[in-house]
Amino acid sequence: MKAFLLAATILGSIATPVFAQNQDETAGADADDGAIIVTARKKEEVLQDVPLTISVVGAEAIERAKLVNVSDLAMQTPGFSYRQGFGRTGGGGGAGVRPSIRGMSSVVGAPNAAFFVDGVFVSDNIASYQLDNIERVEVIKGPQSALFGRQTFSGAISYVTRKPTNELSGRLRVTVGEYRNSDISAYVSGPIVKDVLLFELNARHYQFGGDYVNADSGRRDLGGQRSINLGARLLFKPSDNFEAIASFGLSDDRDKGYIYGFQGSAKNNCFAPPIVGTIPFPRTNTARRGFFCGEVEILPSYAYNNSEIEAAGYHGLDRRFVRASLSMTAKSDSGWSITSISAYNRNNSTTGQDNTLLPSANASFAVDQSRTRDFSQEVKLFSPQDQAIRGLIGGYYYRDDTLPGFQFTNVNRTQRTFDSADGVRSKSIFGMIEADIGEKLTVGAEARYQSETILGSTEVLAPVGSNNATPPAPTGLVRAKFNAFLPRFTARYEPNETLTLYATAAKGNKPGGFNAFPVDARQADLDAFRAAGFATFDEETAWSYELGAKGRFGRVNYSVAGFYTDWTSQQLSRGESYIRTTGTPNSVVFIQNAGESEIKGFEFDVSGKPADWLFLRFGYTYVDARFKVFYDDTTEEVYDTDGRRGRLADGSRNPADLDKLEGDVSGNRLPQTPTHQFIATSQITLPLSDELDIFARGDLAYESKRYSQVDNLNHTGDSYNLNVSFGLEREKWSFTLFARNLLNDKTPLVVTRLLDFNRLLTRVNPLTGANQTTFFRDFAVSAPRKQQFGATFQYKF
């Protein structure tokens, strides 16, 4: 509460002076009347006319708020929460990346919200994607499966990039800050052939030296990042009836180790296992491992063996993206149009993982290379959009393949190659029809029929010593097909020009898939995993319902919505211990399905200029996300007192179990999502002369605590992030001083349930009833960026 009051005081002081401002900064105004144009339904529409809840962050807000990445964007968007627990490593979701829209979070596996760039699905980590070339970002809330398709289970985040201009223009932006931070970007745009062939070239070099001292080396390099981005766009418009845009992007990332560490099982404060023996190490006659209850704090120090990993020729992260797309639109004089979007993406990512996250003279680390490529093709046919009955129909194809890679460890010192047959094949047809019923009421229906095939395989490592050998063929090839019909129904009523009322009902899904069994496990453990049904996990589905209103009252824009989501078979994580073929213990994480969950909530977003000199914005989201029906075996282990399973393999109650069914988490809150989110922005500009202004801005983002897991036993605590900036600007240049995380908030980004690999424990294996050598429970904690001060200079022409 003290942090909130301090932040409110700072925001209030920013809003005190008089200023003159030309536009609402929430988004760019594209239409002739100043209305905001979006493409949230695959076509250009005025924001107020779209019967969906959409938060739009425009180029001006990105510039003024000094937004750098998607985490910054989330702090500008009520209902959208984004956490990266492992730096910029990881793929599009799961433990590495946790996007959550309206409480629909994910712990492992594919994310529940998808990212798009100019209509192209982004399958990999978007954390390093530059925001310098963005025209606007649309955060579209609720299931978008009908029109956007895969992985838009809870919503879609759509990046719309800047188009080449018909006049020569450009910009240079230079940012410097604490912790050896520099960010230099530039673009130039203009005509090759006036009105016909236009271009843009852009480039960026970003570097952050790291803000946490590495306990392994004594250097301040934890969290260090470096990115180089290059991009080009070519727009060809030979006539008013045809337009083609070719886009190409190249990204090169190189990072140090991320800020993440184990708090240690010695800190566990609840559900300690009763110890009945200590030789050769502690033994319990229950399934317990100990636990930590309450608020988790960041660690006093962090370590990552960067030096040892780099001495072997690797880094915390080496990643290269190639993105290419071609969009073509042809229109007829009668109003019909057809659009084609073709895209190709390739990702080569090599991560160096410190296995202990402790200072060590004998480092233990592993290097993994992951390579993927994907291709997509979408075609859309639009009827005349100015008719009372209008619509679109389209088709979509997507293919994703995992390519050969390698593994390297400090022990074998060999690039052990492997091949993979993992992949995705997705085909769908989709459409929308909308009809005006009178002058004020519009109803619509959208739908997608999607057929998605998931391919899985077991990777086989080349022998030790066979450096860069031809990778062995994968084994255990499996496939599963998921067909889904995904509708959405909308109704919009406009009683006047300044008010829109709307209602929606939509179905979303996320296909199931295969869990990867550990290749080094004993056959007995593999058999137990298969018998328990861990080989696969099922599709999850949700129906979402929403009532909302959006409009303008005087000089204030507002939107308010209430929503309800009925969610079945939610994909969550469970950890299982096993014994390696070498006789040493280890653990693996599987995806499991929950029974039923439900989400109820509401949100509002208000922005505007109560006076010519003041721009304010306030947004709030309340989410009550809970399990309706779910029994979690891992939670049962936490409470276990007799060493017997609470349920049998068929799900029925085990009559031999003497304690209660403590694994029933029905009524618990969903993990990794906040109940409350609040954002506030205050901005001023004071004219110093006819050509020079002084401005100030403050942005506050608050999130309530997140539970780390379904047991709801520990959490992150509340977070308060306040960014402020002050500066001078003229028509062509500006100079800004800024502070990020001014309150120096230290709330953990993510708390992960893991094991303490330094403390062995013998317990009862809940799957087999036999004794099992495993580890005490532990939790890993990632820390946020520290308070930082810096300056930005920008020149435009």
Side-chain angles (χ1 to χ4, degrees), residues 156-175:
I157 302 97
S158 177
Y159 288 26
V160 181
T161 62
R162 180 180 53 237
K163 284 186 175 183
T165 58
N166 206 24
E167 301 292 334
L168 185 64
S169 61
R171 183 189 64 208
L172 171 66
R173 180 183 295 164
V174 179
T175 295

Side-chain angles (χ1 to χ4, degrees), residues 455-470:
L455 308 176
S457 63
T458 300
E459 299 163 353
V460 179
L461 293 173
V464 174
S466 57
N467 222 24
N468 285 318
T470 301

